[in-house]
Amino acid sequence: MVRSVAILLFLVVCGQVFAQASMNKREFRGAWIQCVNGQFVGMSTATMQSTLRYQLDELQKDGVNAIIFQVRPECDALYESNIEPWSRFLTGEQGKAPSPYWDPLQWMIDECHKRGMELHAWINPYRAKTKNTNKLANNHIAITHPQSVFSYDGLFILNPGLPENREYICRVADDIVSRYDIDGFHIDDYFYPYPSAGHAIPDDKEFRQYNNGFRDIGDWRRDNVNLFIKQLGETIHKRKPWVKFGVSPFGIYRNKRNAPEIGSESGGLQNYDDLYADVLLWVNNGWIDYCVPQLYWQIGLKVADYETLIHWWNKYCSKRPLYIGEDVERTVKFPDVDNPNINQMAAKYKLHNQLSNVKGTVLWYAKAVVDNTGNYGSVLRNSYWKYPALQPLMPFLDDKAPKKPKAVKPVWTSDGYILFWQKPKAKKWGDEVNKFVVYRFAKGQPVNLNDPSNIVAITYDTYYKLPYSDGNTAYTYVVTSLDRVGNESVAAKKKVKL
């Protein structure tokens, strides 16, 4: 009886959700895959690949179109690096290469692209050692350049007050961007360390030496981070102008009691005052390409109310695409404030659809979605993210559409009836075609490329296997080109009988 009631409630919720579901053709639908929680430690290469492959398959079914994959949690690497040691979160021992050997970042790029997903490489820029790391490799920066880090509450932090540390992190970033075909480069919310009672940031010496005329140490710390963010964005775009640079800050910029004119009605930790991260300056100056505030709280939480904060970010963070960082477990744990029989997922997604500057969502964290915690994944795949979505446009990177696919033609092969096409030629990076969108329309159905329910594939391939039946039903297939930042070409059409 209890199980029957639960199933009934779930179906009711799905019905409510579907009624509200967005039909946005462009929406960032991301998920964070982190390693710092140790979920991969002790796994063999084959087991980790199998685990990740399963996660990607399930996330693809749930409608996810971008993976944000953690590759540098503590000045280490989940990729082949000549600068920093292999991560203990991969092999269990910092500096130890995986065996059998593989490169997780390259592997993830390949697997994501097979599924039509973007891959954003996620680093923690300043953290050099987590609390539970007890042994560092001989080539770790805290060993080779101990003066570059300071200790804080069990952590090692690359001192943001040292100009050479900005150079070092940007060298690491340039190495990743130059050698890997990533779609985005992502940093999280750790700038200066989160405040810990009884601990002071030991940077008085650097303040005296590098204060640049600042009299207030807080202003100087913010300037250090500002200089770094600007330099990092420039480093990425100088190497590859199409790689999207994103930041995921803590969910509160400033509280109203600290900043009456711009602060939010909240009472928690603040980016500006506590982490020395002036996120709005980065957005308004165009130093970053997208912003993902971590709104991990529930609707109705007094010190950090989700509804209050999403309205705040929608109002003040409009100069760059805004995606919302969602805590899956907390969303399904807390009841809807107006209907305690259901969780808060429907209410939160309703807010997403109502707010004009919210262009997407990033899910914390991927495994919770894959495990279908609170039916979150099922509701995504059956309603909100039932149909595919393209990435939001970024005209500040490039606003010119590429040429359409060439020579679209169905061909019988030993693998079945395949629709083939050719990639158009390009003279510069802004014209280069990166992937394709395939649409299908029934006989007599208007060709409407704005309706995502007509999309049957978003693919990096130059072919699509047609679902042939008896050859008696006519369809129009449309293939369009997407460039590196998501601009879409005009349609190339082909009529077929299936």
Side-chain angles (χ1 to χ4, degrees), residues 313-318 320-323 355-360:
W313 286 98
N314 179 72
K315 180 178 179 179
Y316 289 104
C317 194
S318 61
R320 283 292 185 263
L322 171 64
Y323 315 142
L355 298 176
S356 60
N357 291 321
V358 174
K359 304 298 183 184

Side-chain angles (χ1 to χ4, degrees), residues 266-286:
S266 50
L269 187 87
Q270 303 163 98
N271 276 290
Y272 185 94
D273 303 81
D274 302 313
L275 303 177
Y276 306 100
D278 192 352
V279 182
L280 289 193
L281 181 71
W282 313 338
V283 169
N284 291 329
N285 285 348

Side-chain angles (χ1 to χ4, degrees), residues 1-11 375:
M1 177 63 180
V2 173
R3 185 171 182 272
S4 299
V5 171
I7 293 172
L8 179 61
L9 281 173
F10 172 64
L11 293 174
N375 290 315

Side-chain angles (χ1 to χ4, degrees), residues 69-90:
F69 182 55
Q70 188 174 30
V71 299
R72 182 186 184 263
E74 50 178 4
C75 291
D76 53 359
L78 275 84
Y79 61 95
E80 186 177 280
S81 173
N82 292 322
I83 303 173
E84 297 184 314
W86 284 102
S87 176
R88 77 171 180 88
F89 294 108
L90 176 65

Side-chain angles (χ1 to χ4, degrees), residues 25-26 388-390 405 408 419 421 436-442 445-459 464 466-467 475-482 486-496 498:
K25 179 181 171 179
R26 290 187 178 271
L390 310 188
V408 180
L419 187 67
W421 58 87
F436 304 89
V437 188
V438 183
Y439 302 80
R440 186 173 84 160
F441 301 90
Q445 181 184 1
V447 173
N448 177 13
L449 302 190
N450 293 319
D451 182 351
S453 67
N454 296 311
I455 297 174
V456 295
I458 299 172
T459 178
Y464 173 77
L466 296 165
Y475 293 96
T476 297
Y477 275 80
V478 169
V479 186
T480 61
S481 304
L482 296 176
N487 296 303
E488 187 176 20
S489 74
V490 297
K493 302 177 184 178
K494 194 68 180 180
K495 293 184 178 180
V496 297
L498 301 178

